[in-house]
Amino acid sequence: MALSPRQKQNYWRYSQYALLALIAIVLVIVADWGTLRDKVFNPDIIAHQFPGVITVALKNTLIYTALGFVVGLSLGVLLALMKISSIAPYRWISTLYIELFRGLPALLVFIAFGYGIPLAFGLRLNNYVTVMLALGMVSAAYIGEVLRAGLEAVPKGQYEAARSLGMGHSRAMMTVIIPQAFRIVLPPLTNEIILLTKDSSLVYLLGMSVAQYELTKFGREGISASGAGLTPLVVAGACYLIITVPLGLLARHFEKRAGARSRK
Amino acid sequence: MTSHSAPASVTIKDLHKSYGEVEVLKGIDINVSPGEVVCLIGPSGSGKSTLLRCVNLLETPNSGLIEVAGHSVTDPDVNIDKMRTNVGMVFQQFNLFSHLTVLENCTVAQIKVLKRSKAEAQKIALENLEKVGLADKAGRHPDQLSGGQQQRVAIARALSMDPQLMLFDEPTSALDPETVGDVLSIMRQLAAEGMTMIVVTHEMAFARDVADRVVFMDGGVVVEEGPAHEVIGNPQHQRTQLFLSRVLNPTAQ
Ligand SMILES: Nc1ncnc2c1ncn2[C@@H]1O[C@H](COP(=O)(O)OP(=O)(O)O)[C@@H](O)[C@H]1O
Ligand SMILES: [Mg+2]
C-alpha cells in the first residue's frame, strides 16, 4: 500500500526520534557513571570551588569583560565614524586598524601587551591596564565594523529628511542616524560581548595574583590543586554559560524586535 | 492655518547639474511667484527630482542660480541649514524618523533647530497634525501607520517649521490607490491657503485642477510650460503630447 506524502513525512520523523532514543540508551548503558561522577562532576570538588569561583573568578571575568568593552566600544565608535568620514586619511587609518587587529590572533596581542611591550620598552603595565588595552583594542576592530555596518544600514532618506529640516551634519547624526543605528547594532553588539567574555580568558597568560584570577585561570588552578580531573573546569565552564547564554537570548530578543519593526 | 511665514518666490536661472560625465540638468529656467503652485511633469529620468533637490541643496548644482525669497541658495557662503528651515520637503518614501513617535517627528527639528520650547513645539505640531487629520495618532510610531497616513505626517512635519516654500517629490507614487486622495486633498488645501509649492507628480488630474502652471521636462530641459489647462489640455510639443497620451491612457497602444 502506497503511503500518502503526509504519512511518509510522519514515518520519517518518527524514525528520527527512534534513532535518537536508541543512541541515548546506548550512551546510558556504556557510560562509566562512577568515573564520570568522580572525575567530571565530583560533588566534593564542586563544593570546594565555592564561593571563590563566584566571588573571585566570575567577578573578575565580568570586570575584565567590562573593561575591555568600555575601551572597545569607545574606540569602535571612533573607528566607525572615521570609516564613514569624508576625509580619506581617516578612512585609511580606520581600515588599516580594523584589518590589522581582525587579522591577528587575540592571543598574539595579549602576548605583545603582556610580555613584548614590557620587555621592549622596559615599562611594566598594571595588569588591569594591560587587559583593557589588549581586550579593548582587539574588540574595537570588530565593534567598529559592527557599528559602521549599522550606520550604513540606516536608510539614506533619514539623513536627507533630517538635513532638509535644517539640521546640520552632526545634529542629523546625533538626533536621527546614531539612535537608529544603535537599534540595528544591538544584536551583533551583544554577540560581541559574548565573544569578549570568552576572550577575557586570555588574561590567564598574564602573571596574575590569586585575587585577580578569572574563570579559566581559576579552573586551571583548581585542577592543579585537587588533581581531580575535569570538575573545576566544568564549574568554570558553567559560570561562563551563566553569562553567555542569557546574552545570547537577549541578542535573539533584540533581533526579533528589530525584525518585527522592519517588517512593516 | 498655522503657517505664519510669507510665501516665497523661487527663481531658477540656467541651472546645470551633472553626475560625472552625464549632464542631467541642461540649463533650466523657472520662475515661481509667491503663492504659486507649479507642477513638474515628465518621463522618469528626465531630471525632475534632481531639479527639486537642487532647490534645497540636497544636490549641489554645477552652475546656475537659484534664489528662494530673493536670497541666493547657490551662493557658496550661504547658511544652508538656515535656508532649509524655510523650505519644506516631502519625499516619495515619506522618510519619517522611524525611532520617533508621530508627535516627536513633528517637534524634533522645531526644538533642535528653531530652538522652540517643547510646549510650543508640541502645540504647533498638534495643530499641523490636526490639519492633516492625524492628531489622534500623535503617540504612534511611523510603522504603525499606513503609507498615506505616514505621508500626511511628513507634510505636517514639514509644515511645523513654518516654511515659505514646499517641495513635493512624487508624494503619492508610493501609496496604495485608496490613500492617494487624502494626501492630494491636503496639498490642495495648502495650495488654497497660498503656500508656494513645487510638485513633481504623475497625478494629471491634480496638476490640472490645482497647479497654476505646469512645467513639462524631458531629457534635462524644460520642453514646454504654461497654464495647467493649456499644457495638459492642449500640449504644443510632440514630446509633451506623447508623454501625456501615455500617462492619461496607459493601456492604449
Ligand atoms: N546620485 C546620482 N548619481 C548618478 N546619476 C544620478 C543620480 N541621481 C539621479 N541620477 C540620474 O539622473 C537622471 C535624472 O534623475 P531624476 O532627477 O531622479 O529623474 P526623475 O525624477 O525625473 O525621474 C537619471 O538618468 C538618473 O539615473
Ligand atoms: Mg524622481
Side-chain angles (χ1 to χ4, degrees), chain A residues 37-38 41-50 226 228 231:
Chain A
R37 195 192 112 102
D38 200 36
F41 302 106
N42 189 320
D44 297 333
I45 296 176
I46 290 177
H48 193 252
Q49 300 297 303
F50 286 89
S226 62
T231 306

Side-chain angles (χ1 to χ4, degrees), chain B residues 75-95:
Chain B
D75 179 345
D77 292 322
V78 68
N79 182 341
I80 181 177
D81 296 329
K82 182 148 187 303
M83 182 280 289
R84 284 184 180 137
T85 61
N86 295 321
V87 180
M89 176 103 181
V90 175
F91 301 87
Q92 185 175 349
Q93 299 297 339
F94 334 130
N95 295 348

